[in-house]
Amino acid sequence: MSGIACLAFFSFACTPAQKTTEPEEINYISYVDPYIGSGEHGHVFVGANVPFGMIQAGPQNIHKGWDWCSGYHYTDSVIIGFSHTHLSGTGCADLGDILLMPYSGVVRTARGEQDNIEGAASSYYKHSNEQVAPGYYSLLMDNGVKAEMTTTERAAIHRITYPQGEQRLLINLKEGNGDKAYDTYLKKVDDNTIEGYRFSRGWSPQHKVYFVMKTEQPIASLQVFNDDAPAGENELKGEAVKGVVTFEATAPVQVKLALSSVSCENAAANLNAEMPGWSFDEVRSAAEAKWNDELAAIQIETNDERAKKIFYTSMYHMFIDPSLYCDVNGEFRGHDDKVYKADTWKNYSTFSLWDTYRTLNPLFTIIQPDMVPDFVNSYLSIFDQQGKLPIWPLVGGETECMPGYSAIPVIADAYMKGFQGFDAERAFHAMTTSATYPKQKGVPFVLEKGYIPCDKLAEATSIAMEYAVGDWGIALMAKKMGKTAEYDEYLKRGHYYEQYFDKSLNYIRPKMDDGTWRTPYSPFRSLHGVGDFCEGNGWQYTFFVPQNPEGLISLMGGDAAFVQKLDSLFIVEGDLGEGASADISGLIGMYAHGNEPSHHVAYMYPYAGEQWKTAEKVRWIQDNFYTDKPEGVIGNEDCGQMSAWHVMSALGFYQVNPSNGVLVFGSPLFDKATVRLPEGKTFEVVAQNNSKDNIYIQSVTLNGQPYEKAYITYDDVMKGGNLTFVMGNTPNKDFGAAPENRPTSQH
C-alpha cells in the first residue's frame, strides 16, 4: 500500500470457525520469525495477538514518521509502553491505543524524547532481552521490569515482574501512534478495576476505543494527570488523561484488559467471556494453538529450513488483518458513529483493499473460505453506513486512502466463485451505486468522458485504471446474474484503460481535459501524491490491465510486440525524478515488486504464450526479495499483501484477473505443498525435480492426467486432488504456448 500517500491525513465480534488440526501436530509457529519485515520499510506489527484478532498487544516506540507506522521499528531502542491496537505493514500511521508502561520508583508520566528520556517513564531496551513469537511477546527493559503479554481475540493479559521499589503502571491515554486524542477518560471502579476510553483522530477520521482493565493484585492508588500535570485521584476526563497505578504486591503483577468500540460495559463483557481466569500460560497456549491451526492451512515439504521460516512468517503476516471489529454480543460502532449489531455474520475492519484485492483476498477464497462471506457483509454494512463501499476502512472510519473502489473486485470474485452467505442483489446494488457515486474521486468524469483528465485531478490515470478493474468485475457478476444491460455497460467501462493507451508510443499516457495527451511526457517520471500516477510511473501503469491482458496484447500489436515490451520493463533503467514515491521499491528495471500495482505483471507472459518467462521472473523475485532478515520484506507489508504474493506464488500459480478465478502458472517453490480445503479435502501441489536451477515447467499432470494449460481454475483446485509439475533447468517453450492453453479474462 501506499506509504507516504496518506501522510497528508496525519501522521473488532467474532472468531473464525475452528478447523481440525493437522494429525502430524506440526509446530508451525516454530518457523515464524515476527522480526521479518520489522526493519527497513516493512512496517509489520511486532507483539502478541491471535489470528484476525481485535487486539494487538505490543511494544511502542516514539512515533518518528513513516517507518514507525506499526508503532515499532527494529532499529529503535526506546520503549514508551505497550499499546493494544496496531497496524501491520501499512504506509500510514494510526492506533497505538491504551498505552501501558510499567516502571518502578518515583511517580512520573512524561514520555521524553528520542535523545533524552531522563526523568521520563520510558526506558531503553535491547533485542537480546526480547522474545517474540506468535501469540506471545516479552521484554526485559533496561529499567529492570519484565513485561510479558498474550491475548485472546478481544482481550490481553500482561504479566509484569518488577525489580525492588514501588511498582507503578502508567496508563497513557494521550499517546497514540501518529494520531491525536481529543477526548479521554479514566476511572477507578474498585480496587481491582479501572475503565475508560480514548477517542482520537488520525488516518481514520474518528476512532473510539473503550476499555476495562482488571488487576489480579489490589490497586493501592490511582493518581490521575492532565497530560503531565497532577489532577487528583481515581477519575479524570480531558484531552490527554494519564493515570499512574501503584501496586503493593511483591509477586508478579497480572493485568487483564479488553477493548470495545461501543462501551465500557461491552469491554467488560468481552473480558468476562474470553478471559475469566488468571492463567497467563493457559491463554498463551490457547493463542499458540490458534496460530498453529491457521498456519496448518498449507503444509509444505522442503529441506530448506530458511525457506520454511520465510513461508510461515508470510502466512503469519497474512493472518493479522483484517481485524475483528465487534464485541461478543455482535455490536460495533459504524462509520456514522452509530452502534450496529452483527447477528448472523461477523464484522471485520482494517481492510487494506487497494493492496489485498490483488492476491490476499483471492488466496483467502482458497485457504480461509469460511471468512469470505463475513468480509463481504462487512463491506455491505459499511455501504449502509456511508453510502458507498469501503476504500480503506479503519476501525470505525473511512480513510479514503488509495485510488479505485477495491471492494468491488473482491465481492465479484466471491460471487463468481459461488460463495453464499451474503445477499447478491444487495451486493450488486452496492457495487453499481459505488461505481456511479458522484462524490467518488473522478467518477463524474468517467461517466461523462470515459476517462479522468490529468489536468483536473491528481493521480487521475491510476484512479481511472483502477476503476476499470472493478468495472470488469461488475460485468462478470452481471453476466452471471443475467443482467444484460449492466453487463454491456460495465464491460465497456472495463475497457476504459484503452482511453489512455498511446499507440504511437506503446505506453499508457495521461490524457488532458481537451482530449490531447500530456505533453511533455516521460514514462519514467513519478511525482508522489500530485502527479499522474499513484505510487508509480508510466512504465509500471502501462501493464496495469490485470482484468484483460489479452486486450493489452492486442493494443500493443500482438504477442511478439507485447513480449518485447514486457521484457523491456524488467531491464530498462531511468530516473524517476525528484519527488518520486518512496513506495517504488524492489526494482527490476522498472518493475517494482515493493508496490502492489506491479504484482500481477510477471504473470502476464502466459497470455502471450511464453509461460517460461514468468517462471524466470517469479523464481528470481522469490529468491531475492523475500528473506529471513528484519529487512526481509522489500516494501510495505500492507496487511498481508506482500506476503500473500510469496505464498500464492510458492504454490506455483497466481490469480491475475482479481475477479475470475483463473490461476496462472509460475514456478512452484517447494517439493510439495498440501492445501487444506473444506469438507476434509486437500489439494496437493508437487514439483518433481525441483531445485534452485530447475525453475522451468517441463510438463504438468492434474490428478494423474496430462495437463497442457498454463493455468488452473479455482473450481478445479477446490475439488481437491493433485497437481504435479515436472521441473527442469531449460525452458519448455511449447508448454502453454498454444492459444487454447493460455489463460483468459473470461467475459
Side-chain angles (χ1 to χ4, degrees):
M1 170 184 109
S2 79
I4 318 178
C6 302
L7 291 183
F9 285 85
F10 284 96
S11 240
F12 287 114
C14 322
T15 313
Q18 286 294 303
K19 306 176 182 68
T20 304
T21 55
E22 292 288 307
E24 296 89 342
E25 295 296 335
I26 297 171
N27 186 26
Y28 294 95
I29 65 173
S30 67
Y31 295 113
V32 174
D33 181 358
Y35 281 138
I36 294 175
S38 65
E40 287 292 326
H41 310 309
H43 300 180
V44 301
F45 165 65
V46 173
N49 66 328
V50 296
F52 308 106
M54 176 191 291
I55 200 164
Q56 306 90 29
Q60 191 158 319
N61 306 137
I62 296 173
H63 181 70
K64 293 177 286 296
W66 190 46
D67 278 332
W68 280 262
C69 286
S70 74
Y72 177 98
H73 196 266
Y74 190 79
T75 60
D76 215 318
S77 59
V78 174
I79 184 85
I80 64 172
F82 305 93
S83 55
H84 293 79
T85 60
H86 292 263
L87 292 163
S88 185
T90 59
C92 300
D94 207 332
L95 307 186
D97 298 291
I98 323 302
L99 187 72
L100 303 183
M101 181 61 187
Y103 63 90
S104 60
V106 299
V107 172
R108 50 198 189 275
T109 61
R111 185 199 72 181
E113 300 300 331
Q114 190 71 23
D115 58 354
N116 182 13
I117 60 170
E118 184 177 355
S122 304
S123 176
Y124 292 107
Y125 70 100
K126 305 175 184 67
H127 293 306
S128 59
N129 292 325
E130 200 173 25
Q131 295 181 52
V132 291
Y136 177 74
Y137 179 85
S138 171
L139 177 62
L140 174 60
M141 296 178 284
D142 288 8
N143 68 8
V145 178
K146 183 178 182 181
E148 301 173 86
M149 56 210 71
T150 188
T151 77
T152 60
E153 280 70 26
R154 302 172 187 83
I157 182 169
H158 299 253
R159 184 164 61 193
I160 306 168
T161 306
Y162 291 90
Q164 295 298 315
E166 296 86 355
Q167 299 178 334
R168 316 286 190 190
L169 182 64
L170 171 64
I171 306 172
N172 187 341
L173 303 182
K174 173 188 177 182
E175 197 78 27
N177 189 47
D179 66 346
K180 180 175 176 56
Y182 67 88
D183 188 9
T184 58
Y185 176 67
L186 197 61
K187 178 183 179 181
K188 178 184 175 185
V189 177
D190 57 43
D191 287 346
N192 296 88
T193 309
I194 292 173
E195 66 180 23
Y197 59 74
R198 181 176 189 266
F199 301 166
S200 65
R201 297 187 180 97
W203 185 22
S204 179
Q206 180 169 277
H207 173 210
K208 294 185 174 181
V209 179
Y210 296 85
F211 74 95
V212 165
M213 187 178 88
K214 292 279 189 179
T215 66
E216 186 178 28
Q217 290 76 17
I219 297 168
S221 67
L222 172 64
Q223 298 168 259
V224 292
F225 297 79
N226 183 2
D227 201 345
D228 296 323
E233 295 185 346
N234 297 335
E235 187 173 9
L236 185 65
K237 183 179 184 297
E239 288 188 7
V241 172
K242 299 178 183 179
V244 176
V245 176
T246 299
F247 299 101
E248 293 181 349
T250 56
V253 168
Q254 292 204 127
V255 172
K256 299 187 295 187
L257 188 147
L259 305 180
S260 167
S261 65
V262 175
S263 66
C264 292
E265 291 77 14
N266 275 21
N270 291 342
L271 187 61
N272 291 336
E274 292 189 355
M275 202 179 289
W278 285 101
S279 175
F280 183 97
D281 292 336
E282 286 182 6
V283 176
R284 178 183 177 183
S285 293
E288 290 174 345
K290 291 172 183 176
W291 276 114
N292 266 323
D293 188 55
E294 296 295 348
L295 296 173
I298 304 174
Q299 181 179 332
I300 62 172
E301 296 180 20
T302 176
N303 293 323
D304 188 339
E305 294 299 303
R306 176 177 171 273
K308 286 183 181 179
K309 179 193 288 190
I310 296 168
F311 182 84
Y312 284 110
T313 302
S314 295
M315 288 191 67
Y316 167 75
H317 286 147
M318 286 165 40
F319 298 155
I320 294 173
D321 292 307
S323 60
L324 198 61
Y325 187 63
C326 56
D327 298 326
V328 291
N329 64 2
E331 292 181 344
F332 62 94
R333 187 172 300 276
H335 289 199
D336 54 3
D337 204 27
K338 297 178 182 177
V339 174
Y340 293 84
K341 189 170 185 177
D343 287 319
T344 60
W345 52 283
K346 303 164 186 174
N347 192 57
Y348 292 84
S349 187
T350 319
F351 290 106
S352 187
L353 287 164
W354 183 80
D355 307 290
T356 64
Y357 86 85
R358 307 162 197 270
T359 317
L360 182 63
N361 287 102
L363 186 52
F364 278 162
T365 65
I366 299 173
I367 64 173
Q368 294 286 353
D370 292 348
M371 301 182 73
V372 171
D374 294 322
F375 293 161
V376 174
N377 282 314
S378 299
Y379 308 154
L380 298 181
S381 177
I382 291 171
F383 173 82
D384 293 341
Q385 298 158 32
Q386 66 182 28
K388 65 174 183 176
L389 287 166
I391 304 298
W392 211 123
L394 178 60
V395 288
E398 174 60 77
T399 71
E400 298 285 358
C401 196
M402 308 314 296
Y405 27 57
S406 301
I408 287 177
V410 177
I411 298 172
D413 191 46
Y415 179 79
M416 296 299 292
K417 289 173 176 174
F419 279 87
Q420 306 294 313
F422 63 91
D423 185 329
E425 289 290 346
R426 178 185 173 211
F428 192 80
H429 168 73
M431 294 160 75
T432 54
T433 299
S434 300
T436 54
Y437 190 66
K439 296 181 181 179
Q440 184 92 340
K441 289 180 185 177
V443 163
F445 290 114
V446 174
L447 298 177
E448 176 189 353
K449 292 175 170 285
Y451 71 96
I452 303 176
C454 61
D455 50 343
K456 295 293 185 180
L457 187 65
E459 301 182 339
T461 313
S462 295
I463 294 169
M465 294 185 72
E466 287 282 0
Y467 288 161
V469 176
D471 293 338
W472 194 279
I474 295 175
L476 293 177
M477 187 166 169
K479 184 178 183 181
K480 188 173 181 179
M481 297 177 78
K483 298 178 183 292
T484 303
E486 291 90 340
Y487 167 73
D488 291 338
E489 171 64 19
Y490 283 95
L491 185 63
K492 180 180 73 173
R493 287 177 54 162
H495 279 276
Y496 278 171
Y497 66 89
E498 297 170 4
Q499 295 268 21
Y500 295 100
F501 193 80
D502 182 350
K503 289 188 177 181
S504 69
L505 299 177
N506 257 10
Y507 286 106
I508 291 293
R509 184 173 182 180
K511 185 176 284 189
M512 308 287 280
D513 189 39
D514 64 4
T516 61
W517 296 116
R518 163 79 79 189
T519 304
Y521 172 60
S522 167
F524 291 98
R525 186 78 171 95
S526 171
L527 192 60
H528 187 76
V530 294
D532 296 322
F533 299 102
C534 176
E535 301 180 9
N537 64 13
W539 264 107
Q540 289 143 19
Y541 275 91
T542 289
F543 296 93
F544 188 68
V545 191
Q547 76 276 23
N548 187 25
E550 308 99 300
L552 182 61
I553 292 169
S554 178
L555 282 176
M556 287 191 177
D559 294 344
F562 174 79
V563 169
Q564 182 181 24
K565 188 77 169 183
L566 189 51
D567 285 344
S568 298
L569 173 73
F570 287 94
I571 59 175
V572 70
E573 295 183 1
D575 184 7
L576 277 67
E578 186 178 352
S581 173
D583 296 276
I584 304 175
S585 61
L587 287 171
I588 311 172
M590 278 293 110
Y591 171 88
H593 192 73
N595 208 32
E596 281 70 18
S598 289
H599 275 189
H600 69 285
V601 174
Y603 285 91
M604 297 182 86
Y605 284 107
Y607 291 85
E610 298 199 12
Q611 189 282 329
W612 63 276
K613 288 191 173 182
T614 286
E616 282 183 342
K617 303 298 187 296
V618 167
R619 188 64 77 93
W620 194 95
I621 293 167
Q622 295 277 53
D623 290 343
N624 291 275
F625 287 162
Y626 293 88
T627 76
D628 61 349
K629 306 299 182 185
E631 61 276 12
V633 177
I634 201 66
N636 296 167
E637 168 59 28
D638 289 323
C639 296
Q641 167 61 23
M642 197 66 66
S643 288
W645 190 97
H646 174 73
V647 169
M648 184 173 267
S649 294
L651 296 176
F653 46 69
Y654 187 90
Q655 185 171 317
V656 173
N657 182 322
S659 300
N660 79 342
V662 172
L663 305 169
V664 181
F665 289 158
S667 179
L669 195 58
F670 302 118
D671 299 337
K672 183 178 179 181
T674 303
V675 182
R676 181 179 62 193
L677 301 175
E679 301 174 356
K681 298 177 183 176
T682 59
F683 185 75
E684 294 178 346
V685 180
V686 176
Q688 294 179 359
N689 306 324
N690 194 29
S691 70
K692 291 289 186 182
D693 296 321
N694 293 352
I695 65 173
Y696 299 104
I697 298 171
Q698 305 299 300
S699 62
V700 179
T701 59
L702 178 62
N703 298 324
Q705 300 300 311
Y707 191 82
E708 304 296 331
K709 300 182 187 300
Y711 66 91
I712 189 172
T713 66
Y714 171 83
D715 289 342
D716 280 342
V717 169
M718 299 308 286
K719 290 173 186 175
N722 175 280
L723 179 69
T724 295
F725 297 94
V726 177
M727 309 300 292
N729 61 9
T730 56
N732 175 2
K733 296 183 180 181
D734 293 330
F735 176 72
E740 65 270 19
N741 291 329
R742 301 177 188 181
T744 172
S745 297
Q746 290 186 340
H747 64 85

